[in-house]
Amino acid sequence: MADTKALTSRAADFSAWYNEIIARAELADYSPVRGCMVIRPNGYAIWEQMQRALDQMFKDTGHQNAYFPLFIPQSFLSREAEHVEGFAPEVAVVTHGGGKELEEPLIVRPTSETIIYAMYAKWIQSYRDLPLLINQWANVVRWEMRTRLFLRTTEFLWQEGHTAHATEAEAEEETRRMLGVYRTFMEDWMAMPVLTGLKTDSERFAGALRTYSCEALMQDNKALQAGTSHNLGQNFSRAFEVTFQTAAGTLDHVWNTSWGVSTRLVGALIMTHSDDNGLVCPPKLAQYQVVIVPIHKSDDERATVLDAAVRLRKELAAAGIRVHVDSREGMKPGAKYYEWEGRGVPLRLEVGPRDVASSSVVLARRTGGKKETFPMEGLPARIAGVMDQFQADLLAAALARREAASLRGATKEQFIARMEREGGLVYGGFCGRGACETEIKEHTKATIRVLPDPEFRSPEVPSRCIWCGGPSIVEAVWAKAY
RNA sequence: CGGGGUGUGGCGCAGUCCGGUAGCGCGCCUGCUUUGGGAGCAGGAGGUCCCGGGUUCGAAUCCCGGCGCCCCGACCA
């Protein structure tokens, strides 16, 4: 419930604003267990919309869903050297079950590569079994030091795709394909622009050959890794003996990929679009795209107005629009406006006696503050058009914000100054040396978010490393990150 | 694990210095009047004052010992 009327502003304290939005919109709550979160119905509804869209995209690219167990034998993790090193510190271990100490402790999955490739070893014999394209929706546990609702919690929900291919080229193609799927989802559904590209070794997934990611810039000018896609090479197939017989009759290890996005996307959504009045949710992912608020004084008015509201709801719902009528009594219309605004509903229809008399409705958009009057006749088509525009406007605004916060062609000094003050993205040449990367992190707190894909690179290719001035081998994008 | 802060109805806080049996705002419940941008009045419910021990006639308050949570640093989708 909203106990104080105004949220802390983004400018005053971005973290406080973020937490207050989640409370105000009733998206999530803290759990009795440190670092865990309860996803409340309003928050889960957004996740469900995300799942629905992504799941369809996975199916459209030939993947099937399956489910692998939460518990994994501890020994599995250590089969891939880099993998165990990457995850060991944050793994929860079950030592007792059924009142007895277990012979071999079980780990609670921090990710499922090990158990999945152990199973793939049983299922794959021939090149005819490839490619194997499986996704699972699951919860995972990583024992984090410091947590934040949606962005980093001890347990979180995600999907993890795991595929096996006959050739390295096919695995690379799959890795890139799914990165593209994520990008499309983030832009078309979340209205969140992202940079895609390769991670440097220091940010690479433990056990992967190459990690690609989608990076988004939040309103506080910090970057957020929104999704990752890994080319695992043969690292896991060697560790778990996932072999197949080729058409030529030889035996080879399969080439794997894995890719995932999590409930962190809900946090990304919040920090990309919301304002000081509360959540702003793109229509395509909103639980309710339209809320109808009836306005009335007398009982007579109430009956006719509600009647009209319900009729409108049916018309809109029939057109596939997610719509809700807020017919609660004893609450003034203004109070309802504030509540639904805080929850991020894109469009609001106000229906009062005057509107019913003139067969019109008042439409208010979540952003912009203007109200318009539309005839009831043909409303569903009109609303659909407004929603499309709203969705497009959000993406355009977010893109404009990101570009305004992007610095290209900077000197080392400008880079340092930018990170000390406004933050944002800094594009620059990189010599490829880990020493430079580390030094930059120590001096500026900024890390290389991605080595951007060609379409995101600067028009002029940097020739010098932004830090050491040596020859640049690749362009990099730096930012302070979540 | 280091540094700082904080624990009192659902939420936010006062009361602690100086001991006397718990209060304010919001929220919640009931009724009446309201309803085109956060309603008003009246009545009401709700508290192991973080936990344990001690001092005292008497402890939210003083003493000792624990625990939780938050913020800042080292790790991370």
Side-chain angles (χ1 to χ4, degrees), chain A residues 47 54 58 63 110-113 117 134-138 140 142 156-163 174-175 177-183 185-186 190 199 205 210-215 224-232 257-265:
Chain A
W47 178 237
L54 284 165
F58 298 156
H63 303 84
T111 178
S112 304
E113 273 76 6
Y117 299 125
I134 291 182
N135 174 68
Q136 84 162 339
W137 291 95
V140 286
R142 297 179 188 177
F156 57 95
L157 306 183
W158 76 345
Q159 58 69 216
E160 45 181 324
H162 294 273
T163 67
E174 167 79 0
T175 309
R177 178 184 301 117
M178 299 321 287
L179 187 75
V181 164
Y182 287 154
R183 178 190 172 183
F185 170 76
M186 289 168 196
M190 297 177 68
K199 285 290 193 183
F205 172 71
R210 280 185 292 281
T211 290
Y212 298 94
S213 83
C214 293
E215 296 283 329
L224 183 79
Q225 180 172 301
T228 50
S229 186
H230 315 288
N231 184 334
L232 302 175
T257 81
S258 70
W259 27 274
V261 295
S262 71
T263 37
R264 170 179 253 202
L265 289 181

Side-chain angles (χ1 to χ4, degrees), chain A residues 84-150:
Chain A
V84 65
E85 199 180 321
F87 280 105
E90 54 191 68
V91 164
V93 183
V94 179
T95 57
H96 289 72
K100 286 187 296 193
E101 186 166 352
L102 301 174
E103 275 187 37
E104 180 183 354
L106 301 171
I107 64 166
V108 180
R109 62 177 166 223
T111 178
S112 304
E113 273 76 6
T114 59
I115 181 75
I116 288 179
Y117 299 125
M119 297 310 296
Y120 282 12
K122 293 172 67 172
W123 299 343
I124 297 169
Q125 274 112 49
S126 147
Y127 71 96
R128 294 181 202 278
D129 299 322
L130 299 174
L132 183 56
L133 308 173
I134 291 182
N135 174 68
Q136 84 162 339
W137 291 95
N139 58 336
V140 286
V141 167
R142 297 179 188 177
W143 218 260
E144 299 289 351
M145 311 289 279
R146 290 184 60 188
T147 56
R148 297 195 62 190
L149 293 178
F150 289 113

